[in-house]
Amino acid sequence: MDVFAFNASLSMCKDVAGIAGNIFAFGLFVSPMPTFRRIMRNKSTEQFSGLPYIYALLNCLICLWYGTPFVSHSNTMLMTVNSVGATFQLCYIILFILHTDKKNKMKMLGLLFVVFAVVGVIVAGSLQIPDQLTRWYFVGFLSCGSLVSMFASPLFVINLVIRTKSVEFMPFYLSLSTFLMSASFFLYGLFNSDAFVYVSYSIAIYAFYH
């Protein structure tokens, strides 16, 4: 009975952390909206870079695949946050393509094709691995590497802040949402005993703030 109660408590804590992570992630996903309102108003992408959204889409799709039952177990919250995230990033990329110059249009379309091709190869390749544990390791290491590397994308924004001497490109709540989301999913991974989740988010927190 004590073991059952402990497992139930652990499961509840995991769900709470996952829901919190989804809520904070939503704040992160909507943070570029003022930027895109400005882009749409001015009909120009100005000095903004579309690369962070490409990286974010790739990360969301890889982590979404990791969260499915084909790869890992009991990672529903990971699936929801990354499916919503991928949808937002794809919308931002489409808006960016519609309002940028011809050279950047072709570049972004090419990168978008590469993202879908890479994810397609990962999905198809991992499905060829018959052993579930080996598949979990394979996709887990990829998702971990993708998540950690994505946190380098704010460096594009930091570069722009330095160049333009403006802080509007990296609002405070973007950093706050990133920290709270990462902390929530770190706890989610701990409660779910998923090393790839809690290790990757702990590294990501360190990489983002150092």
Side-chain angles (χ1 to χ4, degrees):
M1 186 64 180
D2 289 340
V3 174
F4 177 79
F6 175 76
N7 288 336
S9 298
L10 206 60
S11 178
M12 186 180 69
C13 290
K14 182 195 78 171
D15 291 341
V16 169
I19 292 169
N22 274 257
I23 293 170
F24 293 133
F26 187 79
L28 178 63
F29 297 148
V30 300
S31 63
M33 281 187 173
T35 296
F36 280 91
R37 276 201 296 268
R38 171 173 167 173
I39 287 173
M40 292 169 69
R41 185 175 65 249
N42 296 337
K43 301 186 187 308
S44 170
T45 54
E46 301 175 11
Q47 298 182 59
F48 295 105
S49 172
L51 291 178
Y53 309 105
I54 290 288
Y55 288 133
L57 177 63
L58 178 62
N59 172 74
C60 285
L61 291 175
I62 293 174
C63 291
L64 172 60
W65 176 238
Y66 174 78
T68 63
F70 294 104
V71 179
S72 61
H73 299 287
S74 304
N75 269 323
T76 305
M77 294 298 174
L78 212 58
M79 289 175 60
T80 57
V81 71
N82 285 292
S83 58
V84 172
T87 302
F88 269 96
Q89 303 312 319
L90 188 57
C91 289
Y92 292 143
I93 291 167
I94 291 170
L95 285 172
F96 191 92
I97 290 171
L98 289 174
H99 292 88
T100 194
D101 56 67
K102 186 177 179 181
K103 181 182 176 182
N104 273 326
K105 273 189 208 299
M106 299 308 296
K107 178 183 176 182
M108 291 294 290
L109 285 169
L111 289 171
L112 191 58
F113 174 79
V114 169
V115 166
F116 287 123
V118 168
V119 173
V121 168
I122 291 171
V123 171
S126 58
L127 287 175
Q128 298 304 309
I129 302 172
D131 181 60
Q132 181 79 19
L133 183 62
T134 305
R135 187 188 302 166
W136 178 67
Y137 276 119
F138 173 69
V139 182
F141 278 116
L142 287 175
S143 65
C144 186
S146 171
L147 182 66
V148 173
S149 64
M150 190 196 73
F151 278 76
S153 66
L155 292 178
F156 289 104
V157 186
I158 293 170
N159 238 353
L160 196 54
V161 170
I162 294 171
R163 241 181 16 245
T164 62
K165 297 180 181 179
S166 171
V167 295
E168 69 174 294
F169 301 104
M170 196 173 185
F172 168 75
Y173 63 85
L174 171 61
S175 298
L176 181 62
S177 295
T178 301
F179 173 76
L180 292 174
M181 180 201 70
S182 300
S184 297
F185 276 106
F186 168 74
L187 293 174
Y188 175 84
L190 277 180
F191 292 135
N192 200 30
S193 300
D194 192 323
F196 284 118
V197 175
Y198 67 74
V199 169
S200 59
Y201 275 100
S202 61
I203 295 173
I205 293 171
Y206 180 84
F208 185 76
Y209 289 101
H210 288 81

